Amino acid sequence: MNFINKITVVPKLPEEIIGLKELSENMWWTWNYKAQQLFKKIDETLWNTVQRNPVVFLKKVEQKKLNSAVADKDFMSLYHEVMNNFHIYLNEDQNTWFKKTHSHTSYGEIAYFCMEYGMHESFPMYSGGLGILAGDHIKSASDLGIPLVAVGLLYRKGYFIQKINSEGWQESIYLDYDFSDFPIHPAVDQNGEEVYVSITLPERTVYIKVWELKVGRVKLYLLDTDLLQNDPEDRKITSTLYGGDLEMRIKQEMVIGIAGVRALRKLGYKPSVWHMNEGHSAFLGLERIREFVQEYNLSFSEAVQAVRAGNIFTTHTPVPAGNDLFPIYLIDKYFGDYWPQLKATRQDFLDLGLEKQKSGESLFSMAILALKLSGRANGVSKLHGTVSKKLWNHVWPGIEWVEVPITYVTNGVHINSWLNPLLQESFKKYLGEDWMLKIDDPDLWTKINDIPNEELWKIHMLLKKELIKFVRESIKAQRMRHGETVEQLEEVENIGNEEALTIGFARRFATYKRADLIFKDPERLKKILNNPERPVELIFAGKAHPADKPGQELMKKIYEYSRDPEFKNKIIILENYDMNMARFLVSGVDIWLNNPRRPLEASGTSGQKAGMNGAINFSVLDGWWNEGYNGKNGWTIGDDRDYENHELQDKIDSVSIYNQLEKQIVPLYYERGNGNIPQEWIEKMKESLKSVTSFFNTYRMLKEYTQKLYMPASEQHRNFCSNDFKVVKDFTKWLNLLKENWNSIKIHVMFDYEKSQIINAEEEIEIQAEIYMPGIGPDSIIAEIVVASLQNGKIEQLKTYDMKLVKEIQKDAYLYTGKIKIEDRGEYGINVRVTPNHPYMPHKNYLMGLVKYPE
């Protein structure tokens, strides 16, 4: 039959529920479970089929089901409740934490840059922990009313879909996404025109379209090069997250860094703080230098200082290999025409990121670029802050690692996104309807004890039942795809035991996370898992990067264990780990297992999600758990130290796992008291709920970022850029003078004690020093005594004592004196040094490389 035309008919939203479209286009719904229930109530099967994507849902839902929803009084009551809460939320920005705490502040927005954002599984612009943290970060910024604007890339293929084949190998499948299925719209400027920006690559221009995603009150702008006016190869720049070679990576990072700044400018933003979440976006510092040089006629040195004032860098990697490094020929290729716009020489430019390798080769480090162009930097846990100080000590030559000005803000998770709705309702019942507003109140958390053990256990078992159902459906789909027999498919109903102790291990399959550590002694593990009276089961999930062959081999190894008759139904490995699966796992398992090779886990947040859902953490004392473990809220693996011998570390940690399972964890779980429930286990669950939820949340995290980093950076940015940049010009002039004369400083120390002299604790010691500093003067320096506490010859702690200027001995030479008192026994090193001093330095070691000791 011939047709005169073909048309596509889409459902029409009844006027009574027209607000569903507005709701679908703001990611607020992702952390409000009643908003999700609206779509679920209309058609639950379709809601799950479209991966809980409301935009696609409203395209595909049957018209009669929309009409039926309007006629349903319960549905309409829920609809009005949700829409009312939604509009109140969007319009109450004057009543937020930020407005109440910083009502006097009007310095400009906080621009937040990250390569990936994990908002929800229906918007697959993330690969793992970094992106999910970024998503939680901007959700909490919205909740707290922080004036933040976010920038990222919009990937046509996103990250890969993971399939595990019948042999256990990972298959990486990339999909071409239709952007009309996402809640995004072209960003428009103040004249209503769509926003496009461009960057220059060798012999061509690349055009970038800017898209807007609403995340509550926050806007996330995503950059897209897949445009007809670009060369086919350049259209691929925003094709795949973390895909391609080094050349593709440098182009992606030029887009997010350089084009990201240009996009914000074209949209009318004037941020006073620029936050780089990892080093991928560090080129934004270069673009900001170019702006200052070209638009305000600052010198390169002045522009560097102006940029540093407002820049913040958060590092997430505890090893050098985790940071992007580019060969110099690529920097020459892509920036040869760029550094003249900065009024910089090639060497000036390269010095911003140069890092010498052990091989002698010099590479351009994005992390070093970020550090050198940021006045403030932080790690993502207390331990990671220490690791970062040691890792980047060489960027601050002349000071010891303990003084490296890298602080830490321990990661958290967005509670509303990760706390199961059943537990949210329980918290409202026992902690109060407004408990989310009182998270900082220690008294609030004592009310967790008011939740009856029977009630908490009932909730946990319901969530565990949901997890087992999810596991069976996932495994069945996988086996059907493999073409397995009817008998093999029937066996799936025996996978997962609601009564068994269930341990979850879900994270990226990188080798340092040691997914196979628990298999170190397979025979011992079999006895633990196959005890008929006290069964135990293990659920694994996670993706390996497509280029990470060792990680994929680890996955295959665990898959083979899962099909071993002796581990049958006791080892389970799930494919395509995403945020949806994570929600089932963190709320349904009994134990959350985490055993990375310490100290390589910068923070980790999956255990935080599990802990606030009542799962109990069983983890190495690394990342956040090094702070989170309190002796009552979980168990530790190994001890609080690092090992150089990895084989020895693996042996000690694996034995620790087996011992803890056999002697403590399994017996406690199966010790049933009144009502046939594990009373002592539930008390441990409650301790986990209290200790994890109260502190390891992004509300606390964002408040720390604001108080420790955002507001000080905003204040410094304002000071440096006001009055036609008078402060930054004076500061740079002073700094250049300091650098010219720094090597001329001479220090002669007068100290009565021999180097090996033994002294008594609390004995006061006077030290004098003659300091010659031509061209500098005493107002520009601090003379100080340094006392280092030594452990096996290595510095463990360091304390400084300011020295007083006594008099000028002769021209440019000054006498200083100071007293110290060492209060405890031990071995100490003592010296005198000179460091810079300026009223506009935010902290003592703000400047890199300017420290002078006696020669």
Side-chain angles (χ1 to χ4, degrees), residues 9-31:
V9 179
V10 295
K12 179 183 179 183
L13 267 175
E15 194 65 31
E16 295 89 338
I17 54 173
I18 196 71
L20 287 178
K21 186 175 191 306
E22 181 191 5
L23 191 64
S24 73
E25 295 174 348
N26 189 313
M27 299 303 277
W28 177 87
W29 69 264
T30 65
W31 70 92

PDB file of all heavy atoms in Angstrom, residues 9-31:
ATOM      1  N   VAL A   9       3.080  10.377  15.738  1.00  0.00           N
ATOM      2  CA  VAL A   9       2.148  10.930  16.715  1.00  0.00           C
ATOM      3  C   VAL A   9       2.731  10.744  18.109  1.00  0.00           C
ATOM      4  O   VAL A   9       3.155   9.640  18.468  1.00  0.00           O
ATOM      5  CB  VAL A   9       0.769  10.236  16.633  1.00  0.00           C
ATOM      6  CG1 VAL A   9      -0.186  10.811  17.685  1.00  0.00           C
ATOM      7  CG2 VAL A   9       0.184  10.389  15.234  1.00  0.00           C
ATOM      8  N   VAL A  10       2.802  11.821  18.853  1.00  0.00           N
ATOM      9  CA  VAL A  10       3.310  11.754  20.227  1.00  0.00           C
ATOM     10  C   VAL A  10       2.159  12.076  21.167  1.00  0.00           C
ATOM     11  O   VAL A  10       1.207  12.779  20.802  1.00  0.00           O
ATOM     12  CB  VAL A  10       4.478  12.739  20.450  1.00  0.00           C
ATOM     13  CG1 VAL A  10       5.678  12.358  19.610  1.00  0.00           C
ATOM     14  CG2 VAL A  10       4.053  14.167  20.163  1.00  0.00           C
ATOM     15  N   PRO A  11       2.219  11.552  22.394  1.00  0.00           N
ATOM     16  CA  PRO A  11       1.136  11.826  23.342  1.00  0.00           C
ATOM     17  C   PRO A  11       1.067  13.309  23.698  1.00  0.00           C
ATOM     18  O   PRO A  11       2.071  14.013  23.696  1.00  0.00           O
ATOM     19  CB  PRO A  11       1.500  10.982  24.560  1.00  0.00           C
ATOM     20  CG  PRO A  11       2.958  10.725  24.433  1.00  0.00           C
ATOM     21  CD  PRO A  11       3.259  10.685  22.973  1.00  0.00           C
ATOM     22  N   LYS A  12      -0.147  13.750  23.998  1.00  0.00           N
ATOM     23  CA  LYS A  12      -0.358  15.125  24.419  1.00  0.00           C
ATOM     24  C   LYS A  12      -0.627  15.138  25.920  1.00  0.00           C
ATOM     25  O   LYS A  12      -1.530  14.461  26.410  1.00  0.00           O
ATOM     26  CB  LYS A  12      -1.554  15.734  23.680  1.00  0.00           C
ATOM     27  CG  LYS A  12      -1.845  17.169  24.100  1.00  0.00           C
ATOM     28  CD  LYS A  12      -3.084  17.721  23.405  1.00  0.00           C
ATOM     29  CE  LYS A  12      -3.372  19.149  23.865  1.00  0.00           C
ATOM     30  NZ  LYS A  12      -4.600  19.688  23.256  1.00  0.00           N
ATOM     31  N   LEU A  13       0.167  15.918  26.623  1.00  0.00           N
ATOM     32  CA  LEU A  13      -0.022  16.013  28.066  1.00  0.00           C
ATOM     33  C   LEU A  13      -1.309  16.767  28.376  1.00  0.00           C
ATOM     34  O   LEU A  13      -1.494  17.899  27.899  1.00  0.00           O
ATOM     35  CB  LEU A  13       1.154  16.747  28.711  1.00  0.00           C
ATOM     36  CG  LEU A  13       2.319  15.915  29.232  1.00  0.00           C
ATOM     37  CD1 LEU A  13       3.436  16.838  29.720  1.00  0.00           C
ATOM     38  CD2 LEU A  13       1.899  14.976  30.349  1.00  0.00           C
ATOM     39  N   PRO A  14      -2.213  16.159  29.132  1.00  0.00           N
ATOM     40  CA  PRO A  14      -3.403  16.907  29.553  1.00  0.00           C
ATOM     41  C   PRO A  14      -3.013  18.166  30.322  1.00  0.00           C
ATOM     42  O   PRO A  14      -1.997  18.186  31.033  1.00  0.00           O
ATOM     43  CB  PRO A  14      -4.136  15.909  30.459  1.00  0.00           C
ATOM     44  CG  PRO A  14      -3.650  14.561  30.023  1.00  0.00           C
ATOM     45  CD  PRO A  14      -2.223  14.774  29.600  1.00  0.00           C
ATOM     46  N   GLU A  15      -3.803  19.196  30.159  1.00  0.00           N
ATOM     47  CA  GLU A  15      -3.499  20.477  30.798  1.00  0.00           C
ATOM     48  C   GLU A  15      -3.338  20.337  32.308  1.00  0.00           C
ATOM     49  O   GLU A  15      -2.540  21.032  32.924  1.00  0.00           O
ATOM     50  CB  GLU A  15      -4.624  21.463  30.478  1.00  0.00           C
ATOM     51  CG  GLU A  15      -4.279  22.911  30.804  1.00  0.00           C
ATOM     52  CD  GLU A  15      -3.145  23.465  29.956  1.00  0.00           C
ATOM     53  OE1 GLU A  15      -3.005  23.036  28.782  1.00  0.00           O
ATOM     54  OE2 GLU A  15      -2.380  24.300  30.470  1.00  0.00           O
ATOM     55  N   GLU A  16      -4.113  19.415  32.917  1.00  0.00           N
ATOM     56  CA  GLU A  16      -4.073  19.250  34.373  1.00  0.00           C
ATOM     57  C   GLU A  16      -2.712  18.788  34.875  1.00  0.00           C
ATOM     58  O   GLU A  16      -2.361  19.010  36.030  1.00  0.00           O
ATOM     59  CB  GLU A  16      -5.139  18.245  34.822  1.00  0.00           C
ATOM     60  CG  GLU A  16      -6.561  18.675  34.585  1.00  0.00           C
ATOM     61  CD  GLU A  16      -7.056  18.262  33.208  1.00  0.00           C
ATOM     62  OE1 GLU A  16      -6.212  18.020  32.305  1.00  0.00           O
ATOM     63  OE2 GLU A  16      -8.283  18.175  33.033  1.00  0.00           O
ATOM     64  N   ILE A  17      -1.912  18.115  34.017  1.00  0.00           N
ATOM     65  CA  ILE A  17      -0.593  17.615  34.453  1.00  0.00           C
ATOM     66  C   ILE A  17       0.508  18.115  33.517  1.00  0.00           C
ATOM     67  O   ILE A  17       1.525  17.465  33.325  1.00  0.00           O
ATOM     68  CB  ILE A  17      -0.574  16.068  34.548  1.00  0.00           C
ATOM     69  CG1 ILE A  17      -1.029  15.417  33.223  1.00  0.00           C
ATOM     70  CG2 ILE A  17      -1.433  15.592  35.716  1.00  0.00           C
ATOM     71  CD1 ILE A  17      -0.868  13.897  33.222  1.00  0.00           C
ATOM     72  N   ILE A  18       0.284  19.298  32.937  1.00  0.00           N
ATOM     73  CA  ILE A  18       1.259  19.861  31.994  1.00  0.00           C
ATOM     74  C   ILE A  18       2.615  20.100  32.659  1.00  0.00           C
ATOM     75  O   ILE A  18       3.655  20.130  32.003  1.00  0.00           O
ATOM     76  CB  ILE A  18       0.712  21.183  31.378  1.00  0.00           C
ATOM     77  CG1 ILE A  18       1.513  21.562  30.124  1.00  0.00           C
ATOM     78  CG2 ILE A  18       0.702  22.308  32.400  1.00  0.00           C
ATOM     79  CD1 ILE A  18       1.258  20.653  28.963  1.00  0.00           C
ATOM     80  N   GLY A  19       2.600  20.228  33.998  1.00  0.00           N
ATOM     81  CA  GLY A  19       3.852  20.468  34.721  1.00  0.00           C
ATOM     82  C   GLY A  19       4.834  19.315  34.654  1.00  0.00           C
ATOM     83  O   GLY A  19       6.012  19.484  34.979  1.00  0.00           O
ATOM     84  N   LEU A  20       4.383  18.121  34.223  1.00  0.00           N
ATOM     85  CA  LEU A  20       5.292  16.979  34.102  1.00  0.00           C
ATOM     86  C   LEU A  20       6.419  17.271  33.110  1.00  0.00           C
ATOM     87  O   LEU A  20       7.532  16.772  33.265  1.00  0.00           O
ATOM     88  CB  LEU A  20       4.536  15.726  33.673  1.00  0.00           C
ATOM     89  CG  LEU A  20       3.631  15.066  34.721  1.00  0.00           C
ATOM     90  CD1 LEU A  20       2.918  13.858  34.135  1.00  0.00           C
ATOM     91  CD2 LEU A  20       4.441  14.671  35.955  1.00  0.00           C
ATOM     92  N   LYS A  21       6.118  18.086  32.088  1.00  0.00           N
ATOM     93  CA  LYS A  21       7.168  18.424  31.112  1.00  0.00           C
ATOM     94  C   LYS A  21       8.252  19.274  31.773  1.00  0.00           C
ATOM     95  O   LYS A  21       9.454  19.007  31.627  1.00  0.00           O
ATOM     96  CB  LYS A  21       6.575  19.162  29.911  1.00  0.00           C
ATOM     97  CG  LYS A  21       7.599  19.413  28.807  1.00  0.00           C
ATOM     98  CD  LYS A  21       6.965  20.025  27.577  1.00  0.00           C
ATOM     99  CE  LYS A  21       7.936  20.020  26.402  1.00  0.00           C
ATOM    100  NZ  LYS A  21       9.231  20.657  26.685  1.00  0.00           N
ATOM    101  N   GLU A  22       7.841  20.285  32.508  1.00  0.00           N
ATOM    102  CA  GLU A  22       8.801  21.127  33.235  1.00  0.00           C
ATOM    103  C   GLU A  22       9.601  20.285  34.218  1.00  0.00           C
ATOM    104  O   GLU A  22      10.819  20.443  34.332  1.00  0.00           O
ATOM    105  CB  GLU A  22       8.060  22.238  33.978  1.00  0.00           C
ATOM    106  CG  GLU A  22       8.981  23.185  34.753  1.00  0.00           C
ATOM    107  CD  GLU A  22       8.227  24.115  35.685  1.00  0.00           C
ATOM    108  OE1 GLU A  22       6.985  23.984  35.818  1.00  0.00           O
ATOM    109  OE2 GLU A  22       8.881  24.973  36.312  1.00  0.00           O
ATOM    110  N   LEU A  23       8.942  19.381  34.893  1.00  0.00           N
ATOM    111  CA  LEU A  23       9.609  18.513  35.868  1.00  0.00           C
ATOM    112  C   LEU A  23      10.626  17.610  35.182  1.00  0.00           C
ATOM    113  O   LEU A  23      11.730  17.402  35.690  1.00  0.00           O
ATOM    114  CB  LEU A  23       8.551  17.659  36.588  1.00  0.00           C
ATOM    115  CG  LEU A  23       9.008  16.884  37.825  1.00  0.00           C
ATOM    116  CD1 LEU A  23       9.448  17.830  38.935  1.00  0.00           C
ATOM    117  CD2 LEU A  23       7.879  15.980  38.318  1.00  0.00           C
ATOM    118  N   SER A  24      10.273  17.101  34.010  1.00  0.00           N
ATOM    119  CA  SER A  24      11.168  16.173  33.293  1.00  0.00           C
ATOM    120  C   SER A  24      12.442  16.855  32.827  1.00  0.00           C
ATOM    121  O   SER A  24      13.440  16.186  32.555  1.00  0.00           O
ATOM    122  CB  SER A  24      10.444  15.570  32.087  1.00  0.00           C
ATOM    123  OG  SER A  24      10.283  16.522  31.041  1.00  0.00           O
ATOM    124  N   GLU A  25      12.407  18.190  32.732  1.00  0.00           N
ATOM    125  CA  GLU A  25      13.542  18.926  32.172  1.00  0.00           C
ATOM    126  C   GLU A  25      14.407  19.580  33.241  1.00  0.00           C
ATOM    127  O   GLU A  25      15.254  20.413  32.929  1.00  0.00           O
ATOM    128  CB  GLU A  25      13.030  19.970  31.183  1.00  0.00           C
ATOM    129  CG  GLU A  25      12.374  19.332  29.967  1.00  0.00           C
ATOM    130  CD  GLU A  25      11.736  20.326  29.031  1.00  0.00           C
ATOM    131  OE1 GLU A  25      11.589  21.510  29.438  1.00  0.00           O
ATOM    132  OE2 GLU A  25      11.392  19.944  27.903  1.00  0.00           O
ATOM    133  N   ASN A  26      14.209  19.193  34.482  1.00  0.00           N
ATOM    134  CA  ASN A  26      15.077  19.666  35.564  1.00  0.00           C
ATOM    135  C   ASN A  26      15.474  18.449  36.394  1.00  0.00           C
ATOM    136  O   ASN A  26      14.608  17.709  36.872  1.00  0.00           O
ATOM    137  CB  ASN A  26      14.345  20.684  36.441  1.00  0.00           C
ATOM    138  CG  ASN A  26      15.264  21.366  37.431  1.00  0.00           C
ATOM    139  OD1 ASN A  26      16.056  20.730  38.120  1.00  0.00           O
ATOM    140  ND2 ASN A  26      15.169  22.681  37.522  1.00  0.00           N
ATOM    141  N   MET A  27      16.771  18.229  36.574  1.00  0.00           N
ATOM    142  CA  MET A  27      17.241  17.012  37.238  1.00  0.00           C
ATOM    143  C   MET A  27      16.869  16.946  38.722  1.00  0.00           C
ATOM    144  O   MET A  27      17.212  15.985  39.410  1.00  0.00           O
ATOM    145  CB  MET A  27      18.759  16.892  37.082  1.00  0.00           C
ATOM    146  CG  MET A  27      19.231  16.796  35.648  1.00  0.00           C
ATOM    147  SD  MET A  27      18.510  15.428  34.709  1.00  0.00           S
ATOM    148  CE  MET A  27      19.557  14.076  35.187  1.00  0.00           C
ATOM    149  N   TRP A  28      16.126  17.939  39.194  1.00  0.00           N
ATOM    150  CA  TRP A  28      15.617  17.914  40.568  1.00  0.00           C
ATOM    151  C   TRP A  28      14.883  16.623  40.859  1.00  0.00           C
ATOM    152  O   TRP A  28      14.939  16.100  41.968  1.00  0.00           O
ATOM    153  CB  TRP A  28      14.713  19.126  40.770  1.00  0.00           C
ATOM    154  CG  TRP A  28      14.041  19.237  42.111  1.00  0.00           C
ATOM    155  CD1 TRP A  28      14.545  19.809  43.239  1.00  0.00           C
ATOM    156  CD2 TRP A  28      12.719  18.787  42.461  1.00  0.00           C
ATOM    157  NE1 TRP A  28      13.631  19.747  44.275  1.00  0.00           N
ATOM    158  CE2 TRP A  28      12.506  19.122  43.820  1.00  0.00           C
ATOM    159  CE3 TRP A  28      11.705  18.138  41.762  1.00  0.00           C
ATOM    160  CZ2 TRP A  28      11.298  18.825  44.489  1.00  0.00           C
ATOM    161  CZ3 TRP A  28      10.520  17.835  42.421  1.00  0.00           C
ATOM    162  CH2 TRP A  28      10.327  18.175  43.769  1.00  0.00           C
ATOM    163  N   TRP A  29      14.180  16.098  39.845  1.00  0.00           N
ATOM    164  CA  TRP A  29      13.398  14.875  40.048  1.00  0.00           C
ATOM    165  C   TRP A  29      14.288  13.696  40.437  1.00  0.00           C
ATOM    166  O   TRP A  29      13.812  12.741  41.079  1.00  0.00           O
ATOM    167  CB  TRP A  29      12.568  14.534  38.808  1.00  0.00           C
ATOM    168  CG  TRP A  29      13.391  14.102  37.618  1.00  0.00           C
ATOM    169  CD1 TRP A  29      13.802  14.886  36.594  1.00  0.00           C
ATOM    170  CD2 TRP A  29      13.884  12.786  37.340  1.00  0.00           C
ATOM    171  NE1 TRP A  29      14.544  14.163  35.690  1.00  0.00           N
ATOM    172  CE2 TRP A  29      14.605  12.860  36.127  1.00  0.00           C
ATOM    173  CE3 TRP A  29      13.797  11.558  37.995  1.00  0.00           C
ATOM    174  CZ2 TRP A  29      15.227  11.751  35.551  1.00  0.00           C
ATOM    175  CZ3 TRP A  29      14.427  10.446  37.429  1.00  0.00           C
ATOM    176  CH2 TRP A  29      15.131  10.540  36.222  1.00  0.00           C
ATOM    177  N   THR A  30      15.576  13.737  40.068  1.00  0.00           N
ATOM    178  CA  THR A  30      16.445  12.580  40.317  1.00  0.00           C
ATOM    179  C   THR A  30      16.726  12.380  41.794  1.00  0.00           C
ATOM    180  O   THR A  30      17.137  11.289  42.201  1.00  0.00           O
ATOM    181  CB  THR A  30      17.785  12.711  39.565  1.00  0.00           C
ATOM    182  OG1 THR A  30      18.528  13.829  40.092  1.00  0.00           O
ATOM    183  CG2 THR A  30      17.578  12.893  38.077  1.00  0.00           C
ATOM    184  N   TRP A  31      16.552  13.436  42.616  1.00  0.00           N
ATOM    185  CA  TRP A  31      16.797  13.251  44.050  1.00  0.00           C
ATOM    186  C   TRP A  31      15.533  13.504  44.881  1.00  0.00           C
ATOM    187  O   TRP A  31      15.601  13.782  46.074  1.00  0.00           O
ATOM    188  CB  TRP A  31      17.983  14.069  44.531  1.00  0.00           C
ATOM    189  CG  TRP A  31      17.891  15.556  44.603  1.00  0.00           C
ATOM    190  CD1 TRP A  31      17.508  16.297  45.689  1.00  0.00           C
ATOM    191  CD2 TRP A  31      18.273  16.526  43.617  1.00  0.00           C
ATOM    192  NE1 TRP A  31      17.608  17.640  45.428  1.00  0.00           N
ATOM    193  CE2 TRP A  31      18.084  17.810  44.159  1.00  0.00           C
ATOM    194  CE3 TRP A  31      18.763  16.423  42.310  1.00  0.00           C
ATOM    195  CZ2 TRP A  31      18.353  18.985  43.452  1.00  0.00           C
ATOM    196  CZ3 TRP A  31      19.029  17.582  41.604  1.00  0.00           C
ATOM    197  CH2 TRP A  31      18.823  18.838  42.165  1.00  0.00           C
TER     198      TRP A  31
END
